[in-house]
Coordinates of all heavy atoms in Angstrom, one line a residue:
D1 N 129.8 128.0 156.6 CA 128.9 127.1 155.8 C 129.6 127.1 154.4 O 130.2 128.0 153.8 CB 127.6 127.5 155.7 CG 126.8 127.5 156.9 OD1 127.3 127.0 157.9 OD2 125.7 128.0 157.0
T2 N 129.4 125.8 153.8 CA 129.9 125.7 152.4 C 128.7 125.4 151.5 O 127.6 125.0 152.0 CB 130.8 124.5 152.3 OG1 130.2 123.3 152.8 CG2 132.0 124.8 153.1
Y3 N 128.8 125.8 150.3 CA 127.7 125.5 149.4 C 128.0 124.3 148.5 O 129.1 123.9 148.2 CB 127.6 126.8 148.4 CG 127.3 128.0 149.2 CD1 128.1 129.0 149.3 CD2 126.0 128.2 149.6 CE1 127.8 130.1 150.1 CE2 125.6 129.4 150.4 CZ 126.6 130.4 150.6 OH 126.3 131.6 151.1
G4 N 126.8 123.6 148.2 CA 127.0 122.4 147.4 C 126.8 122.9 146.0 O 126.7 124.1 145.6
P5 N 126.9 121.8 145.0 CA 126.9 122.2 143.7 C 125.6 123.0 143.2 O 125.6 123.8 142.4 CB 127.0 120.8 142.9 CG 127.3 119.9 144.0 CD 127.0 120.5 145.4
V6 N 124.5 122.7 143.7 CA 123.3 123.3 143.4 C 123.3 124.7 143.7 O 122.9 125.6 143.0 CB 122.0 122.6 144.1 CG1 120.7 123.4 143.8 CG2 121.9 121.1 143.5
E7 N 123.7 125.1 145.0 CA 123.8 126.4 145.4 C 124.8 127.2 144.8 O 124.5 128.3 144.3 CB 124.0 126.4 147.0 CG 122.9 125.9 147.9 CD 123.1 124.4 148.1 OE1 123.9 123.8 147.6 OE2 122.1 124.0 148.8
A8 N 125.9 126.6 144.4 CA 126.9 127.2 143.6 C 126.5 127.6 142.2 O 126.7 128.7 141.8 CB 128.2 126.4 143.5
K9 N 125.7 126.7 141.6 CA 125.2 127.0 140.3 C 124.2 128.2 140.4 O 124.1 128.9 139.4 CB 124.5 125.7 139.7 CG 124.1 125.9 138.4 CD 123.5 124.5 137.8 CE 123.0 124.8 136.4 NZ 122.5 123.4 135.8
Q10 N 123.4 128.2 141.4 CA 122.3 129.3 141.6 C 123.2 130.6 141.8 O 122.7 131.7 141.2 CB 121.5 129.0 142.7 CG 120.5 127.9 142.5 CD 119.6 127.4 143.8 OE1 120.1 127.7 144.8 NE2 118.5 126.8 143.6
I11 N 124.2 130.7 142.5 CA 124.9 131.8 142.8 C 125.6 132.4 141.5 O 125.5 133.6 141.2 CB 126.0 131.7 143.9 CG1 125.2 131.5 145.3 CG2 127.0 132.8 144.1 CD1 126.2 130.9 146.4
I12 N 126.2 131.4 140.7 CA 126.8 131.8 139.6 C 125.8 132.4 138.5 O 126.0 133.3 137.8 CB 127.6 130.6 138.9 CG1 128.9 130.4 139.8 CG2 128.1 130.9 137.5 CD1 129.6 129.1 139.5
S13 N 124.7 131.7 138.4 CA 123.6 132.1 137.6 C 123.1 133.5 137.9 O 122.9 134.4 137.0 CB 122.4 131.2 137.5 OG 121.5 131.5 136.7
L14 N 122.9 133.8 139.2 CA 122.4 135.1 139.5 C 123.5 136.2 139.4 O 123.2 137.2 138.9 CB 122.1 135.1 141.2 CG 121.6 136.4 141.8 CD1 120.4 136.8 141.1 CD2 121.5 136.2 143.3
F15 N 124.7 135.8 139.6 CA 125.8 136.7 139.4 C 125.9 137.0 137.9 O 126.0 138.3 137.5 CB 127.1 136.1 139.9 CG 128.4 136.9 139.5 CD1 128.8 138.0 140.2 CD2 129.1 136.6 138.4 CE1 129.9 138.8 139.9 CE2 130.3 137.3 138.0 CZ 130.6 138.4 138.7
A16 N 125.8 136.0 137.1 CA 126.0 136.2 135.7 C 124.8 137.1 135.1 O 124.9 138.1 134.3 CB 126.0 135.0 134.8
G17 N 123.6 136.8 135.5 CA 122.6 137.7 135.0 C 122.6 139.1 135.5 O 122.3 140.0 134.8
T18 N 123.0 139.3 136.8 CA 123.1 140.7 137.4 C 124.2 141.6 136.6 O 124.0 142.6 136.2 CB 123.3 140.6 138.8 OG1 122.3 139.9 139.4 CG2 123.4 142.0 139.5
T19 N 125.4 140.9 136.6 CA 126.4 141.6 136.0 C 126.3 141.8 134.5 O 126.9 142.7 134.0 CB 127.7 140.9 136.3 OG1 127.7 139.5 135.9 CG2 128.0 140.9 137.9
R20 N 125.7 140.9 133.9 CA 125.4 141.1 132.4 C 124.6 142.4 132.1 O 125.1 143.3 131.3 CB 124.7 139.9 131.8 CG 124.5 140.0 130.2 CD 123.8 138.7 129.7 NE 124.3 137.6 130.1 CZ 123.8 136.6 130.9 NH1 122.5 136.7 131.4 NH2 124.4 135.5 131.3
T21 N 123.7 142.6 132.9 CA 122.9 143.8 132.7 C 123.7 145.1 133.2 O 123.8 146.1 132.3 CB 121.7 143.9 133.7 OG1 120.8 142.8 133.4 CG2 120.9 145.1 133.6
I22 N 124.5 145.1 134.2 CA 125.4 146.2 134.7 C 126.4 146.4 133.6 O 126.7 147.6 133.3 CB 126.0 145.9 136.1 CG1 124.9 145.7 137.2 CG2 127.0 146.9 136.4 CD1 125.4 145.3 138.5
M23 N 127.0 145.4 133.1 CA 128.0 145.6 132.1 C 127.5 146.3 130.9 O 128.1 147.1 130.2 CB 128.8 144.2 131.8 CG 129.6 143.8 132.8 SD 131.1 144.9 133.3 CE 131.9 144.7 131.8
G24 N 126.3 145.9 130.5 CA 125.8 146.6 129.2 C 125.5 148.0 129.5 O 125.8 148.9 128.6
C25 N 125.0 148.3 130.7 CA 124.8 149.8 131.0 C 126.2 150.5 131.1 O 126.4 151.6 130.7 CB 124.1 149.9 132.4 SG 122.4 149.3 132.3
L26 N 127.1 149.8 131.7 CA 128.6 150.4 131.7 C 129.1 150.7 130.4 O 129.6 151.7 130.1 CB 129.4 149.4 132.6 CG 130.9 149.9 132.8 CD1 131.0 151.3 133.5 CD2 131.7 148.8 133.7
R27 N 129.0 149.7 129.5 CA 129.4 149.9 128.1 C 128.8 151.2 127.5 O 129.4 152.0 126.7 CB 129.2 148.6 127.3 CG 130.2 147.5 127.6 CD 130.1 146.5 126.7 NE 130.9 145.3 127.0 CZ 130.6 144.3 127.8 NH1 129.4 144.2 128.2 NH2 131.4 143.4 128.1
M28 N 127.5 151.3 127.7 CA 126.8 152.5 127.1 C 127.3 153.8 127.7 O 127.4 154.7 127.1 CB 125.3 152.3 127.3 CG 124.6 151.2 126.4 SD 122.8 151.2 126.3 CE 122.4 151.3 128.0
A29 N 127.5 153.8 129.0 CA 128.0 155.0 129.7 C 129.5 155.3 129.1 O 129.8 156.4 129.0 CB 128.1 154.8 131.1
V30 N 130.3 154.3 128.8 CA 131.6 154.6 128.3 C 131.4 155.0 126.9 O 132.2 156.1 126.5 CB 132.4 153.3 128.3 CG1 133.7 153.4 127.6 CG2 132.8 152.9 129.8
E31 N 130.6 154.5 126.1 CA 130.4 155.1 124.8 C 130.0 156.4 124.7 O 130.4 157.2 123.9 CB 129.3 154.2 124.1 CG 129.8 152.9 123.6 CD 128.6 151.9 123.0 OE1 127.6 152.5 122.7 OE2 128.9 150.8 122.9
D32 N 129.1 156.8 125.7 CA 128.6 158.2 125.9 C 129.6 159.2 126.6 O 129.4 160.4 126.6 CB 127.3 158.3 126.7 CG 126.1 157.6 125.8 OD1 126.2 157.5 124.6 OD2 125.2 157.2 126.5
R33 N 130.6 158.5 127.1 CA 131.6 159.3 127.9 C 131.0 160.0 129.1 O 131.3 161.2 129.2 CB 132.5 160.2 127.0 CG 133.5 159.4 125.9 CD 134.3 160.3 125.2 NE 135.1 159.4 124.4 CZ 136.3 159.8 123.9 NH1 136.8 160.9 124.1 NH2 136.9 158.9 123.2
D34 N 130.3 159.4 129.7 CA 129.4 159.9 130.8 C 130.1 159.4 132.2 O 129.7 158.3 132.6 CB 128.1 159.4 130.8 CG 127.1 159.9 131.8 OD1 127.7 160.3 132.8 OD2 125.9 159.7 131.7
A35 N 131.0 160.2 132.6 CA 131.8 159.8 133.8 C 130.9 159.4 135.0 O 131.2 158.4 135.9 CB 132.9 160.8 134.1
R36 N 129.9 160.2 135.3 CA 129.0 160.0 136.4 C 128.3 158.7 136.3 O 128.2 157.8 137.3 CB 128.0 161.1 136.4 CG 127.1 161.0 137.7 CD 126.2 162.2 137.8 NE 125.4 162.1 138.9 CZ 124.1 162.5 138.9 NH1 123.6 163.3 137.9 NH2 123.3 162.4 139.9
S37 N 127.8 158.2 135.1 CA 127.2 156.9 134.9 C 128.3 155.8 135.0 O 127.9 154.8 135.5 CB 126.4 156.9 133.6 OG 125.3 157.8 133.7
V38 N 129.3 156.1 134.4 CA 130.4 155.0 134.5 C 130.8 154.8 135.9 O 130.9 153.6 136.3 CB 131.8 155.6 133.8 CG1 132.9 154.6 134.1 CG2 131.5 155.5 132.2
N39 N 130.9 155.9 136.7 CA 131.1 155.6 138.2 C 130.0 154.8 138.9 O 130.3 153.8 139.6 CB 131.3 156.9 138.9 CG 131.6 156.9 140.2 OD1 132.4 156.1 140.7 ND2 131.0 157.8 141.1
H40 N 128.8 155.2 138.5 CA 127.6 154.3 139.1 C 127.6 153.0 138.8 O 127.5 152.0 139.6 CB 126.3 155.1 138.6 CG 125.1 154.2 139.1 ND1 124.6 154.4 140.3 CD2 124.3 153.5 138.4 CE1 123.5 153.5 140.3 NE2 123.3 152.9 139.0
F41 N 127.8 152.6 137.4 CA 127.7 151.3 137.0 C 129.1 150.5 137.3 O 128.9 149.3 137.6 CB 127.4 151.1 135.5 CG 126.1 151.6 135.2 CD1 125.8 152.6 134.5 CD2 124.9 150.9 135.8 CE1 124.5 153.2 134.2 CE2 123.5 151.3 135.5 CZ 123.4 152.3 134.7
A42 N 130.2 151.1 137.4 CA 131.4 150.4 137.9 C 131.3 150.0 139.4 O 131.6 148.8 139.7 CB 132.6 151.3 137.6
Y43 N 130.7 150.8 140.2 CA 130.5 150.5 141.6 C 129.4 149.5 141.7 O 129.4 148.5 142.6 CB 130.2 151.7 142.4 CG 131.6 152.3 142.7 CD1 132.0 153.5 142.2 CD2 132.4 151.8 143.7 CE1 133.2 154.1 142.5 CE2 133.6 152.3 144.2 CZ 134.1 153.5 143.6 OH 135.2 154.1 143.8
S44 N 128.4 149.5 140.8 CA 127.4 148.5 140.9 C 127.9 147.1 140.4 O 127.4 146.1 141.0 CB 126.2 148.9 139.9 OG 125.5 150.1 140.3
F45 N 128.9 147.1 139.6 CA 129.5 145.8 139.2 C 130.4 145.4 140.3 O 130.5 144.2 140.5 CB 130.3 146.1 137.9 CG 131.0 145.0 137.4 CD1 130.4 144.0 136.8 CD2 132.4 144.9 137.6 CE1 131.0 142.8 136.2 CE2 133.1 143.7 137.1 CZ 132.3 142.8 136.4
K46 N 131.0 146.3 141.0 CA 132.1 145.9 142.0 C 131.4 145.2 143.2 O 132.1 144.3 143.8 CB 132.8 147.2 142.4 CG 134.0 147.1 143.3 CD 134.7 148.5 143.6 CE 135.8 148.1 144.6 NZ 136.3 149.4 144.9
G47 N 130.2 145.6 143.6 CA 129.5 145.0 144.7 C 129.5 143.5 144.6 O 129.9 142.6 145.5
P48 N 128.8 142.9 143.5 CA 128.7 141.5 143.4 C 130.1 140.8 143.2 O 130.2 139.6 143.7 CB 127.9 141.3 142.1 CG 127.2 142.6 141.8 CD 128.1 143.6 142.5
C49 N 131.0 141.4 142.6 CA 132.3 140.9 142.4 C 133.0 140.8 143.9 O 133.7 139.7 144.1 CB 133.2 141.8 141.5 SG 132.7 141.7 139.9
A50 N 132.9 141.8 144.7 CA 133.5 141.8 146.0 C 132.8 140.6 146.7 O 133.5 139.9 147.6 CB 133.3 143.2 146.6
S51 N 131.5 140.4 146.7 CA 130.8 139.4 147.4 C 131.3 138.0 147.0 O 131.3 137.1 147.9 CB 129.4 139.4 147.0 OG 128.7 140.7 147.5
L52 N 131.8 137.8 145.9 CA 132.4 136.6 145.5 C 133.9 136.5 145.6 O 134.5 135.4 145.2 CB 131.9 136.2 144.0 CG 130.4 136.0 143.8 CD1 130.1 135.6 142.5 CD2 129.9 134.8 144.7
G53 N 134.5 137.5 146.1 CA 136.0 137.5 146.2 C 136.8 137.7 144.9 O 137.9 137.3 144.9
L54 N 136.2 138.3 143.9 CA 136.8 138.5 142.6 C 137.5 139.8 142.6 O 137.2 140.8 142.2 CB 135.8 138.5 141.5 CG 134.8 137.3 141.5 CD1 133.8 137.4 140.4 CD2 135.8 136.0 141.2
K55 N 138.8 139.7 143.3 CA 139.5 141.0 143.6 C 140.0 141.7 142.3 O 140.0 142.9 142.3 CB 140.7 140.6 144.5 CG 140.4 140.3 145.9 CD 141.5 139.9 146.8 CE 141.0 139.4 148.1 NZ 142.1 139.0 149.0
Q56 N 140.5 140.9 141.3 CA 140.9 141.4 140.1 C 139.9 142.3 139.4 O 140.1 143.4 138.9 CB 141.5 140.5 139.2 CG 142.1 141.1 137.9 CD 142.8 140.1 137.0 OE1 142.9 138.9 137.4 NE2 143.4 140.6 136.1
M57 N 138.6 141.8 139.5 CA 137.4 142.4 138.9 C 137.1 143.7 139.6 O 136.7 144.7 139.0 CB 136.2 141.5 138.8 CG 136.5 140.3 137.8 SD 136.9 140.7 136.1 CE 135.1 141.0 135.5
C58 N 137.2 143.6 140.9 CA 137.0 144.9 141.7 C 138.0 145.9 141.4 O 137.7 147.0 141.3 CB 137.1 144.5 143.2 SG 135.7 143.5 143.7
N59 N 139.2 145.5 141.3 CA 140.3 146.5 140.9 C 140.1 147.1 139.6 O 140.3 148.4 139.4 CB 141.7 145.7 141.0 CG 142.0 145.4 142.4 OD1 141.5 145.9 143.4 ND2 143.0 144.5 142.5
M60 N 139.6 146.3 138.7 CA 139.4 146.8 137.3 C 138.2 147.8 137.2 O 138.3 148.9 136.6 CB 139.1 145.7 136.3 CG 140.4 144.9 136.0 SD 139.9 143.2 135.2 CE 140.1 143.9 133.6
A61 N 137.2 147.6 138.1 CA 136.1 148.5 138.2 C 136.5 149.8 138.8 O 136.2 150.9 138.4 CB 135.0 147.9 139.1
A62 N 137.5 149.7 139.9 CA 138.0 150.9 140.4 C 138.9 151.7 139.4 O 138.9 152.9 139.4 CB 138.8 150.6 141.6
E63 N 139.6 151.0 138.6 CA 140.4 151.6 137.5 C 139.6 152.4 136.5 O 139.9 153.6 136.2 CB 141.3 150.7 136.8 CG 142.5 150.0 137.5 CD 143.2 149.0 136.7 OE1 143.4 149.3 135.5 OE2 143.5 147.8 137.2
I64 N 138.6 151.8 136.1 CA 137.6 152.4 135.2 C 137.0 153.7 135.8 O 137.0 154.7 135.1 CB 136.5 151.4 134.8 CG1 137.0 150.4 133.8 CG2 135.3 152.1 134.2 CD1 136.1 149.4 133.3
T65 N 136.7 153.7 137.0 CA 136.2 154.9 137.7 C 137.2 156.0 137.7 O 136.8 157.1 137.3 CB 135.7 154.4 139.0 OG1 134.6 153.5 139.0 CG2 135.1 155.7 139.8
A66 N 138.3 155.6 138.2 CA 139.4 156.7 138.2 C 139.7 157.3 136.8 O 140.0 158.5 136.6 CB 140.6 156.1 139.0
D67 N 139.8 156.3 135.9 CA 140.2 156.7 134.5 C 139.1 157.5 133.9 O 139.4 158.6 133.2 CB 140.6 155.6 133.6 CG 141.9 155.0 134.1 OD1 142.7 155.7 134.5 OD2 142.0 153.7 133.7
A68 N 137.9 157.3 134.2 CA 136.8 158.1 133.6 C 136.7 159.4 134.3 O 136.5 160.4 133.6 CB 135.4 157.4 133.9
E69 N 137.0 159.5 135.5 CA 136.9 160.8 136.3 C 138.0 161.7 135.8 O 138.0 162.9 135.7 CB 137.2 160.6 137.8 CG 135.9 160.0 138.3 CD 135.9 159.7 139.8 OE1 137.0 159.9 140.4 OE2 134.9 159.2 140.5
S70 N 139.1 161.1 135.3 CA 140.3 161.9 134.8 C 140.2 162.2 133.3 O 141.0 162.8 132.7 CB 141.7 161.4 135.2 OG 141.8 160.1 134.4
G71 N 139.1 161.6 132.6 CA 138.9 161.7 131.2 C 139.8 160.9 130.3 O 139.9 161.1 129.1
N72 N 140.4 159.9 130.8 CA 141.2 158.9 130.1 C 140.3 157.8 129.4 O 140.4 156.7 129.9 CB 142.3 158.3 131.0 CG 143.4 157.6 130.2 OD1 143.2 157.3 129.0 ND2 144.5 157.3 130.9
W73 N 139.6 158.2 128.5 CA 138.7 157.2 127.9 C 139.2 156.1 127.1 O 138.7 155.1 127.1 CB 137.6 158.1 127.0 CG 136.8 159.0 128.0 CD1 137.0 160.3 128.1 CD2 135.8 158.5 128.8 NE1 136.1 160.8 128.9 CE2 135.3 159.7 129.5 CE3 135.2 157.4 129.1 CZ2 134.3 159.7 130.4 CZ3 134.1 157.4 130.1 CH2 133.7 158.5 130.8
E74 N 140.5 156.4 126.6 CA 141.1 155.2 125.9 C 141.4 154.2 126.9 O 141.2 153.1 126.6 CB 142.3 155.8 125.2 CG 143.1 154.7 124.5 CD 144.3 155.2 123.7 OE1 144.4 156.4 123.4 OE2 145.3 154.4 123.5
R75 N 142.0 154.5 128.1 CA 142.3 153.5 129.0 C 141.0 152.9 129.6 O 141.0 151.7 129.9 CB 143.0 154.2 130.2 CG 143.3 153.4 131.4 CD 144.5 152.5 131.4 NE 144.7 151.8 132.6 CZ 145.0 150.5 132.6 NH1 145.1 149.9 131.5 NH2 145.1 150.0 133.8
V76 N 139.9 153.7 129.8 CA 138.7 153.1 130.2 C 138.2 151.9 129.3 O 137.9 150.9 129.7 CB 137.6 154.2 130.3 CG1 136.3 153.6 130.5 CG2 137.9 155.2 131.4
S77 N 138.3 152.2 128.0 CA 137.9 151.3 127.0 C 138.8 150.0 127.1 O 138.3 148.9 126.9 CB 137.9 151.9 125.6 OG 137.0 152.9 125.5
K78 N 140.0 150.3 127.3 CA 140.9 149.0 127.3 C 140.7 148.1 128.5 O 140.7 146.9 128.4 CB 142.4 149.5 127.2 CG 142.9 150.0 125.9 CD 144.4 150.4 126.0 CE 144.8 150.9 124.6 NZ 146.2 151.3 124.6
V79 N 140.5 148.8 129.7 CA 140.2 148.0 130.8 C 138.8 147.3 130.7 O 138.8 146.1 131.1 CB 140.2 148.9 132.0 CG1 139.8 148.1 133.3 CG2 141.6 149.5 132.3
L80 N 137.9 148.0 130.2 CA 136.5 147.4 130.0 C 136.7 146.1 129.0 O 135.9 145.2 129.3 CB 135.6 148.5 129.4 CG 134.1 148.1 129.3 CD1 133.5 147.6 130.6 CD2 133.3 149.1 128.6
E81 N 137.5 146.2 128.0 CA 137.6 145.1 127.1 C 138.0 143.8 127.9 O 137.7 142.8 127.4 CB 138.6 145.4 126.0 CG 138.2 146.4 124.9 CD 139.3 146.6 124.0 OE1 140.2 145.9 123.9 OE2 139.0 147.7 123.3
H82 N 138.8 144.0 129.0 CA 139.3 142.8 129.7 C 138.4 142.3 130.8 O 138.7 141.3 131.5 CB 140.7 143.2 130.2 CG 141.7 143.3 129.2 ND1 142.0 144.6 128.6 CD2 142.5 142.4 128.5 CE1 142.9 144.3 127.7 NE2 143.2 143.1 127.6
M83 N 137.3 143.1 131.0 CA 136.5 142.7 132.0 C 135.4 141.5 131.6 O 135.0 141.3 130.7 CB 135.6 143.8 132.6 CG 136.5 144.8 133.3 SD 135.6 146.3 133.8 CE 134.8 145.6 135.3

């Protein structure tokens, strides 16, 4: 099935609202250097991105998780800036 302009607009609106909240939480977790929360919110972000085929965003979320787990907070911050 294909989506028309109305459905596409609804999907984009839902995606934007959902990911805006997740990104806010992710930023706070990064500021707190809380690797466990970063992992949680990065994967929460990755799901909607994967559903829409946004591979680069999925890869960036995975990078953030790996870098947070290794304690590379400078890299985490740089990747987050580009999301």
Side-chain angles (χ1 to χ4, degrees):
D1 290 351
T2 58
Y3 296 104
V6 172
E7 293 87 1
K9 186 175 180 179
Q10 290 172 339
I11 291 168
I12 291 168
S13 179
L14 180 61
F15 174 80
T18 301
T19 57
R20 185 178 306 116
T21 301
I22 294 168
M23 288 299 291
C25 294
L26 181 56
R27 284 187 185 93
M28 288 191 314
V30 170
E31 287 174 13
D32 292 342
R33 294 186 177 203
D34 180 349
R36 184 174 177 209
S37 293
V38 167
N39 184 37
H40 171 78
F41 291 114
Y43 277 104
S44 295
F45 179 77
K46 191 176 175 182
C49 291
S51 294
L52 294 178
L54 303 174
K55 292 178 185 178
Q56 185 174 0
M57 296 299 279
C58 291
N59 291 340
M60 293 170 87
E63 285 179 47
I64 284 178
T65 298
D67 289 332
E69 288 175 359
S70 68
N72 190 348
W73 294 104
E74 183 177 332
R75 174 83 177 133
V76 170
S77 295
K78 285 183 181 181
V79 173
L80 185 59
E81 287 175 17
H82 291 93
M83 290 178 77

